[in-house]
Coordinates of all heavy atoms in Angstrom, one line a residue:
V209 N -24.3 -24.7 -26.6 CA -25.5 -25.3 -27.2 C -26.7 -24.5 -26.6 O -26.7 -24.1 -25.4 CB -25.7 -26.8 -26.8 CG1 -27.1 -27.3 -27.3 CG2 -24.6 -27.6 -27.3
T210 N -27.6 -24.1 -27.4 CA -28.7 -23.3 -27.0 C -30.0 -24.0 -27.3 O -30.3 -24.5 -28.4 CB -28.8 -21.9 -27.7 OG1 -27.5 -21.2 -27.5 CG2 -29.9 -21.0 -27.2
A211 N -30.9 -24.1 -26.2 CA -32.2 -24.7 -26.3 C -33.3 -23.7 -26.2 O -33.1 -22.7 -25.4 CB -32.4 -25.8 -25.2
F212 N -34.3 -23.8 -27.0 CA -35.4 -22.8 -27.1 C -36.7 -23.4 -26.6 O -37.0 -24.5 -26.8 CB -35.5 -22.2 -28.5 CG -34.3 -21.7 -29.0 CD1 -33.5 -22.5 -29.9 CD2 -33.8 -20.4 -28.8 CE1 -32.3 -22.0 -30.5 CE2 -32.6 -20.0 -29.3 CZ -31.9 -20.7 -30.2
D213 N -37.5 -22.5 -26.0 CA -38.8 -22.9 -25.5 C -39.6 -21.7 -25.3 O -39.1 -20.6 -25.3 CB -38.8 -23.8 -24.3 CG -39.8 -24.9 -24.3 OD1 -41.0 -24.6 -24.7 OD2 -39.5 -26.1 -24.0
F255 N -25.9 -26.6 -13.2 CA -26.1 -25.3 -13.8 C -25.7 -24.1 -13.0 O -25.7 -23.0 -13.4 CB -27.6 -25.2 -14.1 CG -28.1 -26.1 -15.2 CD1 -28.4 -27.4 -14.9 CD2 -28.3 -25.6 -16.5 CE1 -28.9 -28.2 -15.9 CE2 -28.8 -26.4 -17.5 CZ -29.1 -27.7 -17.2
F324 N -24.7 -18.3 -11.9 CA -25.7 -18.5 -13.0 C -26.2 -17.1 -13.5 O -26.2 -16.2 -12.6 CB -26.9 -19.4 -12.5 CG -27.9 -19.7 -13.6 CD1 -27.7 -20.7 -14.5 CD2 -29.1 -18.9 -13.8 CE1 -28.6 -21.0 -15.5 CE2 -30.0 -19.2 -14.7 CZ -29.8 -20.2 -15.6
T325 N -26.5 -17.0 -14.7 CA -26.8 -15.6 -15.2 C -28.2 -15.6 -16.0 O -28.5 -16.6 -16.7 CB -25.7 -15.1 -16.2 OG1 -24.5 -15.0 -15.5 CG2 -26.1 -13.8 -16.8
G337 N -33.0 -15.7 -28.5 CA -31.6 -15.3 -28.7 C -30.7 -16.5 -28.5 O -31.1 -17.6 -28.1
P339 N -27.7 -16.5 -26.1 CA -26.8 -15.8 -25.2 C -25.5 -16.5 -25.0 O -25.4 -17.7 -25.0 CB -27.6 -15.8 -23.9 CG -28.6 -17.0 -24.0 CD -28.9 -17.0 -25.5
I341 N -22.4 -17.7 -22.7 CA -22.2 -18.0 -21.3 C -21.0 -17.2 -20.8 O -19.9 -17.3 -21.3 CB -21.9 -19.5 -21.2 CG1 -23.0 -20.3 -21.9 CG2 -21.7 -19.9 -19.8 CD1 -22.7 -21.8 -22.1
T346 N -21.7 -22.2 -16.3 CA -22.0 -23.3 -17.2 C -23.3 -23.1 -18.0 O -23.6 -23.9 -18.9 CB -22.1 -24.6 -16.4 OG1 -23.1 -24.5 -15.4 CG2 -20.8 -25.0 -15.7
A347 N -24.0 -22.0 -17.6 CA -25.2 -21.8 -18.4 C -25.7 -20.3 -18.2 O -25.3 -19.6 -17.2 CB -26.4 -22.7 -17.8
V348 N -26.5 -19.9 -19.1 CA -27.2 -18.6 -19.0 C -28.6 -18.7 -19.6 O -28.8 -19.4 -20.6 CB -26.3 -17.5 -19.8 CG1 -26.1 -17.9 -21.2 CG2 -27.0 -16.1 -19.7
L349 N -29.5 -18.0 -19.0 CA -30.9 -18.1 -19.5 C -31.3 -16.7 -20.0 O -31.2 -15.7 -19.2 CB -31.8 -18.5 -18.3 CG -33.3 -18.5 -18.7 CD1 -33.6 -19.6 -19.7 CD2 -34.2 -18.8 -17.4
A350 N -31.8 -16.6 -21.2 CA -32.3 -15.4 -21.8 C -33.8 -15.4 -21.8 O -34.4 -16.4 -22.2 CB -31.7 -15.1 -23.2
L373 N -38.0 -18.4 -24.1 CA -36.9 -18.7 -23.2 C -35.8 -19.3 -24.1 O -36.0 -20.1 -25.0 CB -37.3 -19.8 -22.2 CG -38.4 -19.4 -21.2 CD1 -38.7 -20.6 -20.3 CD2 -38.0 -18.2 -20.3
S374 N -34.5 -18.9 -23.9 CA -33.4 -19.4 -24.6 C -32.3 -19.8 -23.5 O -31.8 -18.9 -22.8 CB -32.8 -18.3 -25.5 OG -33.8 -17.9 -26.4
L375 N -32.0 -21.0 -23.4 CA -31.0 -21.5 -22.5 C -29.7 -22.0 -23.2 O -29.7 -22.9 -24.0 CB -31.6 -22.7 -21.7 CG -30.6 -23.3 -20.7 CD1 -30.4 -22.4 -19.5 CD2 -31.2 -24.7 -20.2
S376 N -28.6 -21.2 -23.0 CA -27.3 -21.7 -23.5 C -26.6 -22.4 -22.4 O -26.6 -21.9 -21.2 CB -26.5 -20.5 -24.0 OG -27.0 -19.9 -25.2
F377 N -26.0 -23.6 -22.7 CA -25.3 -24.3 -21.7 C -24.0 -24.9 -22.2 O -23.8 -25.1 -23.4 CB -26.2 -25.5 -21.1 CG -26.7 -26.4 -22.2 CD1 -26.1 -27.5 -22.6 CD2 -28.0 -26.1 -22.8 CE1 -26.6 -28.4 -23.5 CE2 -28.5 -27.0 -23.8 CZ -27.8 -28.1 -24.1
I382 N -23.1 -30.2 -19.4 CA -24.5 -30.5 -19.5 C -24.9 -31.0 -20.8 O -24.5 -30.5 -21.9 CB -25.2 -29.1 -19.2 CG1 -24.9 -28.6 -17.9 CG2 -26.8 -29.3 -19.4 CD1 -25.3 -27.1 -17.7
L386 N -30.2 -33.4 -19.7 CA -30.2 -32.7 -18.5 C -30.7 -31.3 -18.7 O -31.5 -30.7 -17.8 CB -28.7 -32.6 -18.0 CG -28.5 -32.0 -16.6 CD1 -29.3 -32.8 -15.5 CD2 -27.1 -32.0 -16.2
S387 N -30.4 -30.6 -19.8 CA -30.9 -29.3 -20.0 C -32.4 -29.3 -20.2 O -33.1 -28.4 -19.7 CB -30.3 -28.7 -21.3 OG -30.8 -29.3 -22.5
R388 N -33.0 -30.4 -20.7 CA -34.4 -30.5 -20.9 C -35.1 -30.6 -19.5 O -36.2 -30.0 -19.3 CB -34.8 -31.7 -21.7 CG -36.2 -31.9 -22.0 CD -36.7 -30.8 -22.9 NE -37.4 -29.8 -22.2 CZ -37.7 -28.6 -22.7 NH1 -37.4 -28.2 -23.9 NH2 -38.4 -27.7 -22.0
F390 N -33.9 -29.5 -16.7 CA -33.8 -28.2 -16.0 C -34.8 -27.3 -16.5 O -35.5 -26.6 -15.7 CB -32.4 -27.7 -16.3 CG -32.1 -26.3 -15.7 CD1 -31.7 -26.1 -14.4 CD2 -32.3 -25.2 -16.5 CE1 -31.5 -24.8 -13.9 CE2 -32.1 -23.9 -16.0 CZ -31.7 -23.7 -14.7
M391 N -35.0 -27.2 -17.8 CA -35.9 -26.3 -18.4 C -37.4 -26.7 -18.0 O -38.2 -25.8 -17.8 CB -35.8 -26.3 -19.9 CG -36.6 -25.2 -20.6 SD -35.8 -23.5 -20.4 CE -34.9 -23.4 -21.9

Side-chain angles (χ1 to χ4, degrees):
V209 175
T210 304
F212 306 98
D213 217 318
F255 290 81
F324 182 83
T325 299
I341 304 166
T346 58
V348 55
L349 178 66
L373 300 175
S374 307
L375 176 71
S376 290
F377 55 90
I382 300 163
L386 186 60
S387 72
R388 184 66 263 166
F390 175 87
M391 191 74 97

